[in-house]
Amino acid sequence: VADPLAAALRTIPDFPTPGIQFKDITPVLADPSLFSEAVDRLKAPFAAAGVTHVVGIESRGFWFGPALAERLGAGFVPARKPGKLPAATIREHYSLEYGADALEIHADALPAPARALVHDDVVATGGTAAAAARLVRRAGAEVVGFSFFVELAFLDGRARLLREAEGVPFRAVLRVD
Ligand code: AMP
């Protein structure tokens, strides 16, 4: 039986720039039973990990992130582009498949002994999630996992994140080769 989540994933060629095969998950968001199944499958590997906070990466880590946090009984912490968060922040720079940027979290968002799960919709090279993990650690918290809806396996973000955070579990609901 085909995976209904994989079937709902849409690939848009040459977006936002030529050569990028963009993974569009909006059909999953638009269907309540697919959305619920996606959050269940994001939750399952971390259900017993003692997660206290899900750190969701702007913008598309905000789609599943709060629902995942709620289902884990955890809080949600947004990692945002610079200048968006109102209180005192810490910042990390990173490079990605199509550009370079930075992320911030509130400096007081992860009080000890926080156990954070880093989440985004898609992992490509892993640079963005690596920056989020550095933020979590600088905030004084432990990174207990990396959680993605889609892994672009050919870009090997998994290996990049293993180098950044040795021994930290990496899970993706769907894998694209
Ligand atoms: P990276 O830092 O290379 O892992 O890039 C991950 C970030 O870029 C995430 O926020 C993804 O949502 C987004 N991204 C990169 N490549 C793609 C792609 N082919 N389709 C959808 N989103 C992508």
Side-chain angles (χ1 to χ4, degrees):
V1 181
D3 182 342
L5 294 181
L9 194 67
R10 193 159 65 167
T11 301
I12 311 295
D14 301 317
F15 181 88
T17 55
I20 301 292
Q21 302 290 314
F22 191 87
K23 297 300 170 188
D24 176 25
I25 67 168
T26 60
V28 176
L29 305 178
D31 180 312
S33 71
L34 291 178
F35 184 84
S36 184
E37 179 174 346
V39 179
D40 280 345
R41 284 164 63 177
L42 286 164
K43 175 196 168 179
F46 298 104
V51 176
T52 63
H53 297 79
V54 172
V55 175
I57 299 171
E58 182 166 358
S59 303
R60 282 170 274 125
F62 299 171
W63 285 351
F64 293 122
L68 173 60
E70 197 276 339
R71 220 168 281 190
L72 284 167
F76 179 75
V77 171
R80 299 209 62 181
K81 302 290 167 59
K84 300 283 183 90
L85 288 168
T89 57
I90 53 177
R91 178 181 299 182
E92 281 283 338
H93 293 270
Y94 63 96
S95 58
L96 68 153
E97 208 183 350
Y98 41 85
D101 217 325
L103 284 177
E104 297 181 343
I105 60 171
H106 275 147
D108 63 355
L110 295 166
R115 293 171 56 80
L117 179 63
V118 173
H119 166 76
D120 204 352
D121 69 330
V122 175
V123 60
T125 66
T128 310
R134 291 196 297 275
L135 282 175
V136 166
R137 288 172 164 176
R138 281 176 55 201
E142 186 179 343
V143 180
V144 296
F146 293 101
S147 157
F148 306 99
F149 185 60
V150 178
E151 170 189 9
L152 303 181
F154 56 96
L155 293 170
D156 221 7
R158 184 183 289 263
R160 165 79 184 269
L161 291 171
L162 263 176
R163 286 198 301 277
E164 185 78 31
E166 211 186 318
V168 174
F170 172 112
R171 297 287 183 276
V173 173
L174 301 176
R175 178 189 162 102
V176 174
D177 290 305

